[in-house]
Amino acid sequence: MESRRVRGESNTDGMAERARGTVTSLASMFPAEEVRKAAERVEEAIAEKRKEVERFREFISDNSNLVNLVQKLPEELHHDVMVPFGKAAFFPGRLIHTNEFMVLLGEGYFVERTSKQTVEILKRRGKYLESNANAAKAVVEDLKAEASFFGSTASELAEDLVEIREELSDEESDASVPESGPHEQGSNSYEGYKGKVPNQDEEYARIMARLDELEKEELAAERADDYDEEDTIPADSDIFPEKSSFSDEKSTDSMYSGQNLAVQSKDRHASTEEILGKRQEDPHFLEQLNDSMEQLDGLKVQSPQKGDKSSMEIQKSKHDMNTSRIAEVDPVHSAVKESRQVPPLQSSKPSHDSLKAFTGSIIEHPVNLPMKPGQQSGTSSQASGSEPTKPVSRFKMRKR
Amino acid sequence: MDGYVPEEVRKCEEFMDRKMKPSLVRATNERNKLFEQQKIFSDLRKNIENLQKNSITNLRTMVNIGSEVYMQAEVPDTQRIFVDIGYGFHVEFTWDEALNYIPLREELLARQIEECTRRIVRIKADIKRIHEGIRQLLQIPQEPYVEERVF
């Protein structure tokens, strides 16, 4: 009965068309009583599991105490103790054969073991207990998440939030973003509900948007250094972000390899400014590029560390983009430092080729991208100069 | 049937479930514990009598040092026993003194068990009464009284 709840961002560019939708009050979907009862039940379950976790913790501490005891006992030949006789009486006596322990393995099987062997057995038991305790803790976490879900549902019911289902038009496909649906109160919560489009598509859209920006910047970087040269392999934004990142890298490599130093340094300054202009939200990367670019003039090699820290929302492709960026700057350094462009870069090329999926078709960023208005002017000034007639990437088209 | 009667019935049932049944369970648990204690002391008495009969002076036994890990222990002199007399006290006894004490303890336990049994019976009778009341409210015909065997 739970419809997929999606944290939606309102459409800033007005890209999504408002198709026919249905509006249903949340209260009709999740009756308040049941939500409360479910929340109670989950609370009980949480309490139970917490007790279990406590019990496991006790067992573990008992076990470790026993390990200490078993290790200490063999230090003496005899220990004077009170020997129990049933549950209600003692005899004064002594512990003898202090290195021999009889351990219960279960099912009525006992083994005689020395102190060290017993410690090993107990340590194994401790590990097993730990894994059990962790499993119980994980269950508690899950239950807590459930409980918070119920709690927020209950609060939303109180706010009279409404679920809005919209039919997707074909053109929009993934990129359309759900709208928030406040009822009469006009609450400004940005929680939209989307019936058909699953949660992933939104993140996918975000990822794609991010990658677009990054690609554009790299393209711009290439372009800035590459006025005279024919752009044989521009950035590919076609198929997948990872692959396009590698293609970017490759193109920058080849580009850098064909330049002489003076032109490079001058153009890199220009490209730095370009990137400065475009990438407002990534100061770390900007600084790092700036530094590296400036230091290139002095032929100093600086390993870019900050590329890793650039703040990006994307998980997987983020890493790839970072590595591509780092690798991008590194060949630059190597080119500058040794003025031996071909071998190191050539060696890196085949590896990229193997990772690339596309067959070498050249596809370019289209001129007017809807993502960021600030970047549009930059890209148009750059892109329109070189290849205005390249076909628009399928990737881009899908986003539209 | 008008709505008022089921309300009474519901209240009776609730009262029973919330108060009577748990008290019954608690009283039963108490009595079980007392039974256990009784068994412990009777076992102890038998063992001491055994020791006395066979004049066992020293003893080899296995002591549980935790989590079912046992260690050999030796009792060189079995003449002195420390017996639990309650409230965390243990008294050093000889065999005869112990054999004197243990029956007294058993007697006390028997009295406590008796009292617990009476309490349980009272609770059970109350539950039965409420059942009967519900039956009358709902006007369910009385079940024929079956002569049960009295053991």
Side-chain angles (χ1 to χ4, degrees), chain A residues 88-91 94 96 102, chain B residues 70 72 74 80 82 84 90:
Chain A
F90 295 101
F91 281 117
R94 359 164 40 203
I96 56 174
M102 188 91 84
Chain B
Y70 292 89
Q72 286 187 46
E74 193 194 30
R80 320 221 142 260
F82 287 75
D84 174 19
H90 292 75

Side-chain angles (χ1 to χ4, degrees), chain A residues 97-131:
Chain A
H97 294 171
T98 50
N99 202 27
E100 296 174 17
F101 296 91
M102 188 91 84
V103 187
L104 172 68
L105 300 180
E107 298 299 314
Y109 280 94
F110 286 85
V111 275
E112 280 226 35
R113 296 262 95 184
T114 68
S115 160
K116 245 207 286 182
Q117 292 163 332
T118 310
V119 166
E120 282 171 22
I121 293 181
L122 290 176
K123 287 222 169 112
R124 282 196 291 268
R125 268 192 213 166
K127 254 192 253 169
Y128 173 71
L129 284 174
E130 287 251 10
S131 69

Side-chain angles (χ1 to χ4, degrees), chain A residues 14-83:
Chain A
M15 230 168 50
E17 296 173 2
R18 222 86 28 108
R20 314 173 292 280
T22 59
V23 172
T24 48
S25 157
L26 257 194
S28 65
M29 297 228 20
F30 305 117
E33 262 306 307
E34 284 188 21
V35 171
R36 254 208 309 275
K37 275 192 225 156
E40 279 174 25
R41 257 181 282 138
V42 174
E43 292 291 322
E44 285 174 19
I46 287 183
E48 268 186 53
K49 283 296 172 175
R50 283 234 174 90
K51 265 188 265 165
E52 258 198 61
V53 172
E54 268 312 305
R55 253 204 359 245
F56 277 123
R57 223 59 68 74
E58 276 180 37
F59 288 158
I60 291 175
S61 79
D62 280 347
N63 204 38
S64 51
N65 286 340
L66 189 58
V67 166
N68 290 337
L69 182 65
V70 168
Q71 276 170 342
K72 278 219 330 256
L73 279 177
E75 288 171 14
E76 295 283 333
L77 270 182
H78 307 113
H79 290 272
D80 284 326
V81 291
M82 285 299 228
V83 180

